[in-house]
Amino acid sequence: MNQTTNLSTAVEIVRASVLANQQLTGRSSQYVTPMLWGVAGAGKTASVEALAQDMGISFMDFRANQYDAGELGGLPWAQGDRMIRLRPQYLPTEGVGILFVDELPQAPVANQNIIGQLVNERRIGEHVLPDGWTVVCAGNQMHHRAGTNAMPSHLKDRLLHITIVPDLDDALQYMATNGIDNRILSFLRFQPEHLSKFDKDVNACPSPRSWEKAHQILSWKLSPMAQHIALCGTLGEGTTAMFEVHLQMCDAMPDIDAPFTDPDNAEIPSEPAMAYALCASLAYRVKKSTSANLVRFINRIPAQEYSAFAMKTVVNLNGKAEIRKWAHDVKEVRDWLTGDAKLLVLEEKAS
């Protein structure tokens, strides 16, 4: 059985390969090419692009299955009595970056053989990939029924294979950082099985990517029926039915200003889904000036997972460095983060 991992661990491995490859030159056999396997919509492309942006390097993305073999290998061109091949547009000529070869297993075998030369020799024909560039590949496996072709054994042998499964903490961190509707975060924390339900036999099913689309749909302010149809078209009927119940519960939440203005007496919902929804809403609204009252309120909630969810979301929205600044100035935040709960929120002790 293949080892699986979450997206953040996969990105950690890709980052290390990029840093190591940047120190190499020429056609060294020490170059490592990661191959990310996973279901559609798991966030493979977006995460590698975000990594490149974080590292301050270029990112070039092309789909190996959208070229014919002639284009992929460089179109032939007559030069006097010789035939040469034009440099493929997707092959960079300078700089430092990640060349992301997406949907590699969905490409015809002829295309995969051409990419095999790129992976093994860092060249396409006579055209060489510049030093400082790392090739990263991605695609879906055959059992996903995504038009996948069998990968030639020589190409498999040239890749570092990483199989990714959707992870709730990864997804919630990404969603909070990118401003996804807090009702989606609270729903997934309460019912994590709806994060990803791949089903090859239906047109729509939940995935990290489809939840991003659901966020857009919620912002359209459609009529209830139109919103229901649109959500079904991206999440599937079963998940949409459950999510709409959660939306109704969010509409019935207690006063969400009370925890900031009267944290010692504000109502604590007894229904778990509503408690998660309230914690998500508070995390999106809190500021440094109201953070002390937020901590006083969540400390009253008996189950620690609610307060941990709230503070994790606050950290994801504002960044660890900013929250450490809050902790320096706000005793309640400092006490919360330097207590036992810090292991649930921060990897390092808040200063």
Side-chain angles (χ1 to χ4, degrees):
M1 178 180 294
N2 291 332
Q3 290 286 324
T4 61
T5 189
N6 58 27
L7 196 55
S8 61
T9 300
V11 170
E12 178 186 352
I13 296 171
V14 172
R15 178 190 289 271
S17 73
V18 171
L19 292 173
N21 291 348
Q22 287 175 353
Q23 306 306 313
L24 303 175
T25 58
R27 294 165 57 184
S28 169
S29 62
Q30 298 180 49
Y31 280 98
V32 175
T33 302
M35 170 70 205
L36 307 182
W37 298 91
V39 298
K44 302 181 292 295
T45 306
S47 295
V48 176
E49 184 173 8
L51 171 64
Q53 183 176 3
D54 181 63
M55 297 180 74
I57 61 177
S58 299
F59 178 81
M60 293 185 64
D61 172 15
F62 81 96
R63 305 295 197 266
N65 62 339
Q66 294 182 1
Y67 292 79
D68 63 37
E71 291 178 295
L72 200 65
L75 293 174
W77 185 262
Q79 189 176 68
D81 59 353
R82 298 175 60 245
M83 186 189 77
I84 63 171
R85 288 191 176 273
L86 299 176
R87 187 180 184 91
Q89 185 179 12
Y90 64 81
L91 202 64
T93 58
E94 59 184 5
V96 175
I98 295 174
L99 179 60
F100 192 74
V101 184
D102 205 356
E103 298 179 353
L104 176 58
Q106 284 69 52
V109 173
N111 290 24
Q112 294 188 39
N113 285 328
I114 293 170
I115 298 301
Q117 184 187 29
L118 176 64
V119 169
N120 192 49
E121 302 178 26
R122 295 178 58 78
R123 65 190 303 136
I124 297 293
E126 64 267 40
H127 303 295
V128 178
L129 183 68
D131 295 336
W133 280 84
T134 293
V135 179
V136 178
C137 304
N140 309 120
Q141 294 173 318
M142 292 194 72
H143 66 267
H144 296 145
R145 302 289 180 86
T148 304
N149 297 301
M151 184 176 284
S153 58
H154 70 280
L155 177 55
K156 286 183 181 179
D157 187 56
R158 297 170 181 176
L159 300 170
L160 166 60
H161 300 272
I162 307 170
T163 302
I164 299 168
V165 293
D167 177 80
L168 182 65
D169 286 337
D170 275 354
L172 293 182
Q173 179 177 354
Y174 172 83
M175 290 178 183
T177 303
N178 288 276
I180 300 299
D181 193 299
N182 66 81
R183 295 171 294 178
I184 293 176
L185 273 72
S186 57
F187 173 73
L188 292 176
R189 175 56 71 182
F190 180 57
Q191 296 192 330
E193 67 274 15
H194 289 281
L195 171 63
S196 180
K197 284 189 170 185
F198 175 75
D199 186 345
K200 66 182 185 304
D201 296 321
V202 300
N203 290 331
C205 53
S207 69
R209 180 163 59 199
S210 63
W211 281 112
E212 284 196 76
K213 295 178 182 178
H215 163 77
Q216 294 294 330
I217 291 168
L218 292 175
S219 73
W220 293 348
K221 306 299 181 184
L222 298 170
S223 66
M225 179 55 70
Q227 179 171 284
H228 171 76
I229 296 298
L231 288 174
C232 285
T234 191
L235 298 173
E237 294 184 7
T239 295
T240 294
M242 299 296 293
F243 182 51
E244 287 180 332
V245 171
H246 186 75
L247 293 178
Q248 293 170 8
M249 193 168 292
C250 290
D251 291 338
M253 274 196 307
D255 180 5
I256 60 175
D257 290 323
F260 295 130
T261 59
D262 189 11
D264 299 324
N265 298 295
E267 179 183 351
I268 298 175
S270 57
E271 168 61 44
M274 188 174 290
Y276 277 122
L278 178 59
C279 286
S281 296
L282 296 175
Y284 270 69
R285 293 165 60 88
V286 70
K287 300 177 181 178
K288 180 179 177 181
S289 60
T290 57
S291 60
N293 282 354
L294 172 64
V295 173
R296 287 169 60 185
F297 174 75
I298 63 175
N299 279 341
R300 293 175 48 223
I301 304 177
Q304 193 180 51
E305 59 262 28
Y306 299 115
S307 57
F309 169 60
M311 293 303 287
K312 277 186 177 180
T313 306
V314 171
V315 172
N316 290 337
L317 286 167
N318 296 277
K320 293 181 181 180
E322 179 63 21
I323 297 306
R324 291 192 176 98
K325 292 178 183 178
W326 291 15
H328 185 270
D329 297 328
V330 182
K331 181 180 183 301
E332 289 83 355
V333 176
R334 182 166 62 252
D335 289 346
W336 201 95
L337 292 177
T338 56
D340 293 338
K342 70 177 181 294
L343 298 176
L344 298 171
V345 178
L346 295 177
E347 296 175 354
E348 303 171 14
K349 186 175 179 179
S351 59

